[in-house]
Amino acid sequence: MWLMTIAAGIVTLLLLTWLRDYMKRWRMPPGPFFWPIIGNIYLFSGRMYITFIDLAQKYGDVFSLKMGMTDVVVLNSLDAVKEAFVKKGVDFAGRPKILSNEILTEGGKDIAFTDYSPTWKLHRKLFHGAIRGYALGQNLQTKVHESLEDTIAEFSKMEGQAVDLEGYIYKLVYNVICSTAFGVRYNMDDEDFITLMKISKDMTETLGQGLLADVYPSLRFLPSPALTAFRKMTEQSLTILQRHLEEHRETFDPSNLRDITDHMIKAQKDAEEEGIQDINSLTDTHLRQTMNDVFAGGTDTTIWTLRWANLYLAAHPEIQEKVAAELDSVVGRDRLPEMSDREAMPYTEATIHEIMRMGSIAPLSLPHATTVDTTLSGYQIPKGTWIMPNLWALHHDPDTWGDPDVFRPERFLDEDGKPIPKPAALMPFSAGRRACPGDAVAKAVTYLLLGGLVQNFRFSIPEGEGPPDLTPDEKGGGAACVPYPYKVVMTCRK
Ligand code: HEM
């Protein structure tokens, strides 16, 4: 009898919670029916950014879903993203407070996954300073050129073979970003390189599919292989970064700042001496987390962009030849492309825009959360609601682009081949307070690396293979658009 009473009590509680949520939905953006406990969780799998486009046709550009019992609002149009992230910036600048973010950020001490707060603002400001000092201009160009020279020598040895370049592109990008962040360069067989590359791939897959404990927080106390693996991966990569931080501290010289890590150590020492900052916001954990922001934020994103670049150019030889011809006429073949050449290469620049549009490597950006009760498109959005901007939808909207599924760099040029103002709907780096602070580095690195590779090699699809599959790999889930594994054949141009 008492068992039946408990069961009836649970069912009544569930129904009341569901009814409360259902009533709340009246003033929120519309959305599909949701079930008690699971909500619409089945919609958050695979290439969900494409599912969301279908849902927007039925419910409008701004619609609500329930991820388990959490409210999620999806933004599918430029107007909605602009209203939320630009016009009402602070209201929409939070991050969800979930277990995976807490683990990754060691309790909210990073930039990317930490909620909107004074500490987040301080670290973003320091990050910008460090980027300006060490990760742009001549410094960056030198690091890219050093890494490119290695890669060009490696690629030349593989001429004519069908190769999957993934590992080589990892190494190339790691060597640019890691040397800028903490002065390290890797060989393919370095233990740290192999560990970090594996963690990066496994992490993308885990976060792409989502952790159940993020949706149902009470599950954090139950044994879960995915959660255990996630904790282990985080610990492993932070241990490597901590080692670099300690080495930097031992050899630190304030008159010779070598990289972003040195810059952060100096900021910490200045704060200690001047006593002007809350020193609890600049602990070693914060420094290690900023190193991770540069490493994790800068490597995967750039690698995925280059992977798409390689694939799209191999699939469109006529476009690749136009980029190569521009490089020939502006740079020639005796030196690598430099930042000062960039302005004279509108076709290459347009091709990079088109790769970023078609690839949309961060299809749903990073999830935001509302910091207060607010409104959007006339609907009420309670504090703590997850906000997912569908950047993929903005980049593939037929009303904006006409032929969104065609790879056509010319859409960014006028009839004379000159650049047109960049359409506002192109936002691979998102917008507003949380927009990617590494965008200038990312654009410069992509331009220098892609330019150097196309100047030296022709990339083509292996003979006898049909057109490549340009659909993003489902494994990336909603977190990342990455191509399925593919091979290309390289021919030296020189
Ligand atoms: C093609 C390359 C890149 C793309 C497409 C990209 C895209 C993005 C996107 C979409 C976000 C989320 C913005 C939001 O929440 O609204 C982001 C955040 C971030 N990115 Fe990038 N990114 C790239 C490269 C980089 C690089 C090179 C760095 C570091 C040098 C970097 C560091 C960060 C950081 C620290 C954040 C978190 C910002 C915050 O939460 O305040 N990214 N990026």
Side-chain angles (χ1 to χ4, degrees):
M1 180 67 185
W2 60 271
L3 259 180
M4 289 211 5
T5 315
I6 292 177
I10 293 175
V11 171
T12 313
L13 197 69
L14 283 176
L15 278 176
L16 285 176
T17 313
W18 180 82
L19 204 64
R20 185 206 58 196
D21 286 352
Y22 202 76
M23 305 285 272
K24 193 169 79 179
R25 185 59 92 68
W26 279 354
R27 275 171 268 154
M28 287 185 66
F33 173 83
F34 59 90
W35 296 94
I37 306 180
I38 61 165
N40 309 109
I41 200 158
Y42 46 89
L43 294 173
F44 293 89
S45 67
R47 292 180 280 262
M48 58 190 92
Y49 39 91
I50 296 177
T51 314
F52 292 168
I53 294 181
D54 295 340
L55 289 171
Q57 306 229 317
K58 191 159 175 202
Y59 298 103
D61 288 340
V62 179
F63 63 81
S64 299
L65 295 174
K66 277 269 186 203
M67 192 169 58
M69 292 158 88
T70 307
D71 286 312
V72 177
V73 168
V74 184
L75 317 180
N76 279 276
S77 67
L78 177 62
D79 284 349
V81 173
K82 273 193 346 204
E83 183 185 343
F85 290 179
V86 182
K87 213 168 134 202
K88 297 184 176 159
V90 176
D91 293 8
F92 287 84
R95 291 279 187 228
K97 293 188 183 73
I98 49 174
L99 182 63
S100 59
N101 284 1
E102 224 176 286
I103 297 172
L104 271 177
T105 67
E106 299 179 88
K109 297 189 178 64
D110 83 328
I111 299 169
F113 297 100
T114 292
D115 206 4
Y116 186 77
S117 67
T119 312
W120 167 81
K121 274 195 210 166
L122 167 69
H123 283 275
R124 217 178 130 111
K125 199 169 140 208
L126 288 172
F127 181 94
H128 274 300
I131 293 283
R132 270 196 305 276
Y134 305 96
L136 287 172
Q138 188 60 39
N139 208 355
L140 182 70
Q141 181 172 296
T142 308
K143 290 189 191 308
V144 172
H145 284 178
E146 282 166 6
S147 306
L148 255 178
E149 274 154 19
D150 268 7
T151 302
I152 291 169
E154 268 166 356
F155 281 12
S156 304
K157 292 186 204 142
M158 299 186 282
E159 183 168 22
Q161 302 166 28
V163 206
D164 184 341
L165 294 177
E166 189 183 38
Y168 298 92
I169 292 187
Y170 262 91
K171 191 190 101 173
L172 176 61
V173 173
Y174 271 34
N175 283 347
V176 173
I177 302 288
C178 299
S179 60
T180 311
F182 39 85
V184 167
R185 287 166 55 88
Y186 296 109
N187 287 318
M188 290 292 261
D189 52 2
D190 282 348
E191 210 177 300
D192 278 0
F193 173 67
I194 295 169
T195 309
L196 289 170
M197 182 164 79
K198 179 163 177 1
I199 291 175
S200 134
K201 287 187 193 177
D202 293 350
M203 200 78 123
T204 305
E205 221 173 286
T206 309
L207 291 178
Q209 304 307 319
L211 282 172
L212 218 50
D214 282 343
V215 183
Y216 302 107
S218 39
L219 293 185
R220 70 167 67 194
F221 302 111
L222 296 181
S224 144
L227 195 55
T228 310
F230 184 77
R231 283 187 199 278
K232 192 170 164 218
M233 287 188 274
T234 310
E235 198 186 303
Q236 269 180 310
S237 57
L238 289 176
T239 304
I240 294 177
L241 297 183
Q242 177 65 26
R243 190 180 353 113
H244 291 308
L245 178 58
E246 282 162 17
E247 283 162 9
H248 272 67
R249 210 178 267 299
E250 278 161 25
T251 52
F252 180 73
D253 171 4
S255 61
N256 174 29
L257 300 183
R258 298 158 292 185
D259 45 37
I260 288 180
T261 302
D262 271 355
H263 182 94
M264 293 304 297
I265 295 176
K266 179 159 188 310
Q268 190 188 45
K269 285 185 184 295
D270 288 351
E272 268 164 13
E273 276 162 26
E274 292 164 25
I276 49 167
Q277 298 285 4
D278 174 5
I279 207 66
N280 294 328
S281 307
L282 266 174
T283 62
D284 274 9
T285 314
H286 288 95
L287 264 55
R288 175 168 73 219
Q289 282 289 336
T290 303
M291 290 163 76
N292 197 33
D293 279 317
V294 180
F295 169 68
T299 48
D300 286 345
T301 47
T302 312
I303 289 162
W304 301 333
T305 305
L306 281 178
R307 294 277 291 147
W308 280 121
N310 219 236
L311 185 60
Y312 273 112
L313 292 186
H316 296 89
E318 68 298 346
I319 293 174
Q320 189 181 162
E321 288 318 304
K322 283 192 197 170
V323 174
E326 190 174 70
L327 282 156
D328 271 353
S329 80
V330 177
V331 182
R333 297 202 176 177
D334 299 329
R335 63 170 177 87
L336 287 168
E338 296 177 359
M339 289 307 291
S340 55
D341 301 315
R342 195 166 154 194
E343 226 181 286
M345 299 215 280
Y347 194 82
T348 306
E349 199 70 13
T351 305
I352 292 173
H353 286 334
E354 187 65 343
I355 290 160
M356 290 191 173
R357 183 188 74 79
M358 290 287 279
S360 295
I361 56 127
L364 296 170
S365 183
L366 289 177
H368 286 224
T370 40
T371 53
V372 288
D373 289 341
T374 183
T375 57
L376 183 68
S377 302
Y379 299 112
Q380 301 212 343
I381 317 278
K383 179 178 175 183
T385 303
W386 282 41
I387 306 295
M388 288 190 172
N390 192 351
L391 302 182
W392 172 278
L394 266 60
H395 292 168
H396 291 83
D397 179 4
D399 291 342
T400 309
W401 306 101
D403 52 358
D405 299 326
V406 179
F407 186 73
R408 194 167 62 79
E410 285 76 6
R411 68 177 81 247
F412 296 104
L413 301 169
D414 68 13
E415 283 165 7
D416 302 321
K418 299 222 164 66
I420 57 163
K422 194 164 65 64
L426 180 70
M427 49 169 85
F429 301 98
S430 187
R433 309 246 161 179
R434 285 283 186 166
C436 176
D439 63 339
V441 182
K443 285 186 240 173
V445 170
T446 307
Y447 152 76
L448 289 169
L449 290 180
L450 189 65
L453 292 177
V454 174
Q455 178 196 37
N456 282 275
F457 302 97
R458 180 174 300 114
F459 297 92
S460 44
I461 303 296
E463 238 177 55
E465 280 191 16
D469 185 359
L470 297 170
T471 325
D473 190 336
E474 222 171 343
K475 276 192 199 155
C481 269
V482 282
Y484 283 104
Y486 65 88
K487 289 184 176 171
V488 286
V489 174
M490 291 174 289
T491 320
C492 294
R493 287 189 193 270
K494 283 192 179 169

